[in-house]
Amino acid sequence: MGRRKKGSPVHGWLVLDKPQNMTSTQAVGIVRRVFNAQKAGHSGTLDPLATGILPIALGEATKTVSFAVDGEKAYRFTVRWGAETETDDTEGAISNTSDQRPDRASIEALLPQFHGEIMQVPPAYSAIKVDGARAYDLARDGETVVLNARPVFIDSLQLVDMPDAATSVFEARCGKGTYVRALARDMGRLLGCYGHVIALRRTQVGPFDEAIAVAMDDLKAASEANDAEQLLRFLQPVEAALADLPELLVSQSDAASLARGQTVLIRGRDAPILSGPAYATSKGRLIALGELAKGALHPTRVFNLG
């Protein structure tokens, strides 16, 4: 007999509004303990100083994490001009300073350079691996970290406020792998004044946004009150991460085949022209995730929702 998994078979997404000064790993640990879940994982790390949307997958939802990670992300962040830091935020020591301060016209004239696909060098203090080690671990040990530029996609970058001459607030929508801290660093260098992030909030990850986010205090309050019903109301369904994929309604017999990992033919007039990832449901129940090709669904993930 296999070893019995610890915890309860809880399945779904908890869209956490992560507070400041908490790592993403710590947040996942708290959520897992609150729900006594067998499995948990997050879709996209947030820096400890950052706040906002951290979707946490529980149970079978962990099979859909890649779709949330690959989704568009939105941020609101504040840049302080006049200084660049080793970490590109307030945690690091100041590495360069300038007496120059950019005006609104200069900033807005620069922003088109950060639209579409750009090449971006990640911060030295990042989770990217270099020869098997995390870049931030090497940097903290005093090693010089050299990271290569890589393509990232910026859907939009807008200046939304300038509270004072040294501070600007931006909103950005971007794709996977974009570092907001690097945007602040690069804008500061191009403007000739240097800059670093002093506040960062993620407002969206794929289909998950602030409208359905759960505050950590509310989560803890429900847990301390042993309010199991409220905790379950906080959860989004497993398929919430698949909102951008086609949903296929299959019969019970096809559902049984998919559950066994078997390919099924997709019926309907438009079935032969569909291709790519899709998910199948039967009578409102998520059955499988798979690839559509030549009028058939080939399951890649089968869900066991109990």
Side-chain angles (χ1 to χ4, degrees):
M1 291 179 62
R3 298 178 66 182
R4 186 174 181 180
K5 294 181 181 178
K6 293 182 180 180
S8 303
V10 181
H11 310 295
W13 283 93
L14 189 284
V15 182
L16 182 68
D17 189 337
K18 188 189 82 67
Q20 201 171 40
N21 298 320
M22 177 181 290
T23 69
S24 296
T25 299
Q26 288 171 334
V28 170
I30 291 170
V31 171
R32 184 174 183 175
R33 287 193 296 274
V34 164
F35 286 91
N36 190 33
Q38 292 176 347
K39 287 193 298 183
H42 65 75
S43 62
T45 301
L46 264 183
D47 292 337
L49 291 180
T51 66
I53 304 303
L54 181 67
I56 297 176
L58 301 175
E60 292 293 272
T62 57
K63 296 177 180 178
T64 67
V65 163
S66 63
F67 292 92
V69 170
D70 291 343
E72 183 182 68
K73 298 174 178 63
Y75 298 89
R76 185 180 179 94
F77 62 101
T78 304
V79 179
R80 176 69 46 80
W81 307 117
E84 183 174 302
T85 70
E86 292 178 348
T87 57
D88 302 318
D89 60 18
T90 58
E91 282 195 306
I94 293 175
S95 53
N96 289 296
T97 61
S98 171
D99 293 330
Q100 298 295 316
R101 298 294 182 269
D103 57 23
R104 179 179 289 272
S106 299
I107 296 172
E108 290 182 337
L110 176 69
L111 295 184
Q113 295 186 40
F114 293 90
H115 288 174
E117 186 173 87
I118 65 170
M119 298 299 293
Q120 184 184 75
V121 177
Y125 285 79
S126 64
I128 292 173
K129 286 192 174 181
V130 179
D131 296 329
R134 298 290 185 187
Y136 53 64
D137 288 331
L138 298 174
R140 286 168 184 156
D141 288 341
E143 295 190 32
T144 300
V145 177
V146 179
L147 299 175
N148 295 324
R150 58 183 188 173
V152 297
F153 195 88
I154 313 294
D155 292 276
S156 67
L157 177 61
Q158 297 177 316
L159 175 65
V160 296
D161 193 15
M162 291 189 69
D164 55 62
T167 312
S168 297
V169 182
F170 297 88
E171 289 183 352
R173 303 187 73 85
C174 50
K176 178 183 178 182
T178 305
Y179 280 90
V180 172
R181 286 180 288 140
L183 288 177
R185 176 201 66 202
D186 293 344
M187 284 192 291
R189 290 177 180 178
L190 290 171
L191 289 166
C193 64
Y194 299 116
H196 64 281
V197 169
I198 61 171
L200 172 61
R201 179 171 178 78
R202 189 159 66 189
T203 57
Q204 179 183 345
V205 176
F208 304 121
D209 60 25
E210 292 176 298
I212 57 173
V214 179
M216 181 63 81
D217 286 346
D218 292 340
L219 185 69
K220 288 182 176 179
S223 175
E224 290 167 3
N226 291 317
D227 191 343
E229 290 186 7
Q230 180 59 61
L231 288 174
L232 290 177
R233 282 196 292 269
F234 285 149
L235 292 182
Q236 303 296 316
V238 172
E239 58 267 32
L242 309 176
D244 291 335
L245 303 185
E247 177 185 1
L248 305 174
L249 306 179
V250 300
S251 66
Q252 285 185 286
S253 60
D254 281 347
S257 296
L258 289 168
R260 293 192 293 270
Q262 299 171 344
T263 295
V264 299
L265 294 176
I266 301 304
R267 299 166 180 81
R269 185 180 60 185
D270 298 327
I273 66 172
L274 293 173
S275 62
Y279 67 97
T281 62
S282 181
K283 293 188 174 182
R285 186 180 183 82
L286 180 63
I287 304 299
L289 176 64
E291 288 288 327
L292 278 168
K294 298 180 180 179
L297 179 64
H298 308 271
T300 55
R301 294 280 189 177
V302 174
F303 297 95
N304 179 19
L305 298 175

